[in-house]
Amino acid sequence: MPVFNPEPDYLRQAIESVRLQSYPHWELCIADDASTRPEVRRLIASFLERDDRIKVVWRTENGHISAASNSALDLASGEFVVLLDQDDLLAKNALLWVVDAFVRNPAAGAVYSDEDKLGDDGVPVLPFFKPDWSPHLLFSQCYVGHLLAFRRRLAMEIGGFRAGLEGAQDYDLVLRLGAATPVVHVPRVLYHWRLHEHSTALRSDAKPYAHEAGRRALSDALRARYGSQFLRVDDGDFLFTYAPRFRIPTGLKISIIIPTRDKVDYLSRCIASIVEKSTYQNIEIIVIDNNSMEADTFRYFERIQAQDPRVRVLSAPIPFNWSRLNNLGATAASGEVLLFLNNDTTVISPDWLERLAEWSLLPEVASVGALLFYEDGAIQHSGVVVGMNGWADHVFKGMRPVHHASPFVSPLITRNVLAVTGACLAVERGKFYRLGGFDESFVICGSDVEFGIRAYKQGLFNLLCAQARLYHYESKTRDAYIPEGDFVQSEKKYAPYRGDQVDPFFNRNLDPMSVRPTIRSN
């Protein structure tokens, strides 16, 4: 616990929250960073007299939070370290659950938990129920927050807290921990972050310098991880959010694969939006014609291919099978990145192609999806939660695009998901074939979700790229019929995330029967 001039009552409550822990084998290491309020020193000294598990170093010069945190870390003799701010509270069983997590996961070097906020009235509000380890969400936002615990030995090996990153010192540490060790999530509220007028919990602009420090920390982490593939970190749309950018190899081609059957007004609008709005133009568009019958459709096919040599129409006179049609399109494609796209979509963000391609080319990433909107501006897709509504559904579906942090992550930042919709799904060609393509035992619905699950089980991550945005007019060219066989395949291949386990990128404290993140009632 680094300390500098806190409100004495807040500090007293913070220390008492440690003394009241149900797990008794702890030490509290306090580094007073040359506080100028004499009552702070008296308060700490009074606790030293009452409890020999409390240790303190009195710093003679104010070195700010990174230096003070390192001083406290130097005091520590325990195997595990938990971070506690001077005005926050640990839940009564916090240390017990931390120890339990490390015992159950002996390879893990770090643990984090869910958290909430605490007003002066003592009533907890604004819980944040986090996903399991989500490295690419961490590249967008320091979602790990509190409670953070780690092995002391590991923290010392990676250099502890770095000076010059004050305000983002914890973010910097967890970025380096995440690159060095498995990280485990405890889906319980173990930390109460106090709301007061100077806290970041209450005012996101309370520490504006911390945003810039976070951007520097993230840049360092991505440069160390990806080398020359990393380009830069842009600011996100919101304070304390970021939008990393990665280099695309010169000459990289993106193959856009669009199955269709008539409804040429939707297809023509889709292709026109790609050609006219996209800033990335090294593309090919492969239209898979699945039994179109209307004369207007064939006239459009002839006209668009004559106008733009990047457009090819391939005939697939077979019974409709979404997986097979897209696999056929992939076979015909020559691009290094495959983008599977519904014909009832139109482009919103001009740089959508490079955004999707940048993420898909990272070595640990499989499928990348876009943020899709209904025509009225409500969210249609911001990632799939497997097990939601009994099978799989789009979390945030039908909600307005509002940035928030309770009770789940924001729908408007790039984050890891277990699967994305095949209405707009990008994947590096080599990974697509290594994973085996789409499962053709699914006829209409489910193979996009199964693809994401299969990739995750093979050690890859899937993600929702919030900066790539399109309208999706929701299956305007097909009816809503789903064959029984798709349900059978889903029941078999969505396992274990429909019952035995919660989707790792959701949270067991949230209602799986609601697309609007809602706290479970039981």
Side-chain angles (χ1 to χ4, degrees):
M1 177 193 286
V3 168
F4 179 70
N5 284 343
E7 286 297 322
D9 192 50
Y10 290 164
L11 177 60
R12 179 190 59 78
Q13 292 178 42
I15 294 173
E16 288 289 5
S17 78
V18 179
R19 297 184 72 219
L20 292 172
Q21 286 298 301
S22 58
Y23 185 81
H25 307 296
W26 55 263
E27 61 181 5
L28 175 58
C29 302
I30 299 174
D32 179 79
D33 198 23
S35 292
T36 57
R37 299 178 67 170
E39 63 269 35
V40 170
R41 187 182 186 100
R42 288 196 298 269
L43 179 63
I44 295 173
S46 71
F47 276 108
L48 290 174
E49 294 174 358
R50 284 183 279 163
D51 198 323
D52 60 9
R53 294 173 295 180
I54 298 176
K55 304 160 68 173
V56 64
V57 56
W58 305 103
R59 292 175 52 85
T60 56
E61 293 184 3
N62 180 262
H64 302 294
I65 193 167
S66 294
S69 296
N70 281 328
S71 293
L73 188 60
D74 288 340
L75 278 180
S77 62
E79 182 179 356
F80 307 112
V81 173
V82 171
L83 302 184
L84 175 61
D85 286 351
Q86 64 186 13
D87 47 8
D88 296 338
L89 304 177
L90 295 181
K92 182 178 177 60
N93 295 320
L95 299 185
L96 181 65
W97 285 113
V98 166
V99 171
D100 178 76
F102 279 117
V103 169
R104 292 175 182 270
N105 302 274
V111 167
Y112 66 96
S113 76
D114 298 341
E115 65 186 72
D116 62 20
K117 311 298 188 291
L118 198 67
D120 285 338
D121 58 5
V123 177
V125 295
L126 299 174
F128 182 19
F129 296 117
K130 306 167 189 177
D132 286 352
W133 179 241
S134 302
H136 305 95
L137 171 58
L138 190 67
F139 297 168
S140 301
Q141 180 184 56
C142 185
Y143 82 96
V144 168
H146 305 296
L147 175 152
L148 175 63
F150 47 85
R151 295 183 186 273
R152 180 181 181 277
R153 171 193 52 79
L154 179 61
M156 301 302 284
E157 288 175 355
I158 64 174
F161 297 92
R162 289 201 298 160
L165 295 172
E166 285 74 17
Q169 71 286 336
D170 294 357
Y171 187 25
D172 175 62
L173 182 66
V174 78
L175 283 163
R176 287 180 287 128
L177 286 169
T181 184
V183 181
V184 171
H185 169 226
V186 178
R188 297 175 180 271
V189 174
L190 302 185
Y191 194 100
H192 307 297
W193 193 2
R194 191 181 295 278
L195 297 168
H196 59 79
E197 62 177 339
H198 299 297
S199 72
T200 310
L202 185 62
R203 294 174 56 235
S204 63
D205 61 346
K207 297 180 181 178
Y209 66 89
H211 175 90
E212 175 58 24
R215 192 170 66 84
R216 294 199 309 272
L218 180 57
S219 296
D220 289 348
L222 296 180
R223 190 175 298 109
R225 179 166 182 166
Y226 297 109
S228 61
Q229 191 172 1
F230 167 67
L231 182 59
R232 66 179 186 272
V233 173
D234 291 340
D235 288 333
D237 293 330
F238 313 96
L239 196 63
F240 299 122
T241 69
Y242 306 98
R245 303 304 304 270
F246 302 93
R247 286 188 173 84
I248 294 176
T250 302
L252 178 126
K253 180 188 287 187
I254 300 174
S255 298
I256 303 172
I257 297 164
I258 309 175
T260 195
R261 179 181 177 180
D262 291 319
K263 301 286 185 175
V264 71
D265 49 341
Y266 286 102
L267 176 65
S268 61
R269 183 164 53 168
C270 174
I271 292 178
S273 77
I274 296 170
V275 172
E276 295 169 8
K277 292 186 179 180
S278 301
T279 51
Y280 195 86
Q281 289 289 317
N282 190 12
I283 61 174
E284 63 177 357
I285 301 174
I286 301 173
V287 178
I288 310 298
D289 174 35
N290 183 221
N291 299 315
S292 293
M293 300 176 64
E294 298 173 1
D296 283 349
T297 301
F298 294 105
R299 282 193 290 269
Y300 173 74
F301 287 164
E302 183 176 352
R303 183 173 68 254
I304 191 63
Q305 290 180 97
Q307 289 175 350
D308 195 327
R310 297 173 299 177
V311 180
R312 285 186 288 152
V313 178
L314 302 181
S315 178
I318 60 175
F320 179 77
N321 180 305
W322 185 92
S323 307
R324 188 178 180 195
L325 291 171
N326 280 289
N327 285 340
L328 288 172
T331 301
S334 60
E336 293 87 350
V337 171
L338 306 177
L339 175 58
F340 302 96
L341 189 67
N342 273 22
N343 60 356
D344 56 349
T345 57
T346 57
V347 174
I348 297 173
S349 54
D351 62 349
W352 69 295
L353 286 172
E354 46 264 63
R355 296 277 191 172
L356 294 171
E358 286 174 25
W359 286 109
S360 72
L361 292 170
L362 297 185
E364 74 282 4
V365 173
S367 57
V368 184
L371 183 58
L372 305 180
F373 295 91
Y374 290 111
E375 199 166 6
D376 67 358
I379 294 171
Q380 191 272 333
H381 169 264
S382 182
V384 173
V385 172
V386 181
M388 180 166 279
N389 285 322
W391 296 95
D393 212 337
H394 299 180
V395 65
F396 301 111
K397 184 172 67 177
M399 295 179 64
R400 306 312 299 180
V402 176
H403 178 66
H404 58 79
S406 178
F408 189 48
V409 295
S410 169
L412 302 184
I413 58 175
T414 295
R415 70 185 199 283
N416 292 106
V417 292
L418 190 50
V420 297
T421 177
C424 181
L425 185 157
V427 59
E428 188 180 19
R429 179 188 182 89
K431 293 181 195 133
F432 182 74
Y433 282 107
R434 286 199 301 275
L435 288 166
F438 293 117
D439 185 342
E440 295 183 13
S441 63
F442 291 87
V443 175
I444 293 177
C445 181
S447 62
D448 48 1
V449 175
E450 188 278 334
F451 184 82
I453 294 172
R454 191 176 352 133
Y456 183 67
K457 287 180 177 179
Q458 293 189 32
L460 298 174
F461 287 94
N462 308 292
L463 61 89
L464 182 283
C465 176
Q467 287 77 33
R469 301 183 177 190
L470 297 89
Y471 289 112
H472 181 206
Y473 306 108
E474 191 71 48
S475 302
K476 293 292 186 182
T477 58
R478 298 281 174 181
D479 60 33
Y481 168 72
I482 299 175
E484 181 63 25
D486 285 359
F487 287 106
V488 172
Q489 293 300 319
S490 297
E491 184 171 13
K492 181 192 310 181
K493 295 170 182 175
Y494 287 8
Y497 303 113
R498 287 189 58 243
D500 295 338
Q501 295 181 30
V502 174
D503 182 320
F505 303 105
F506 199 51
N507 189 295
R508 72 177 191 188
N509 297 296
L510 300 173
D511 186 355
M513 302 306 290
S514 173
V515 295
R516 177 185 293 270
T518 304
I519 300 171
R520 292 181 75 134
S521 58
N522 55 2

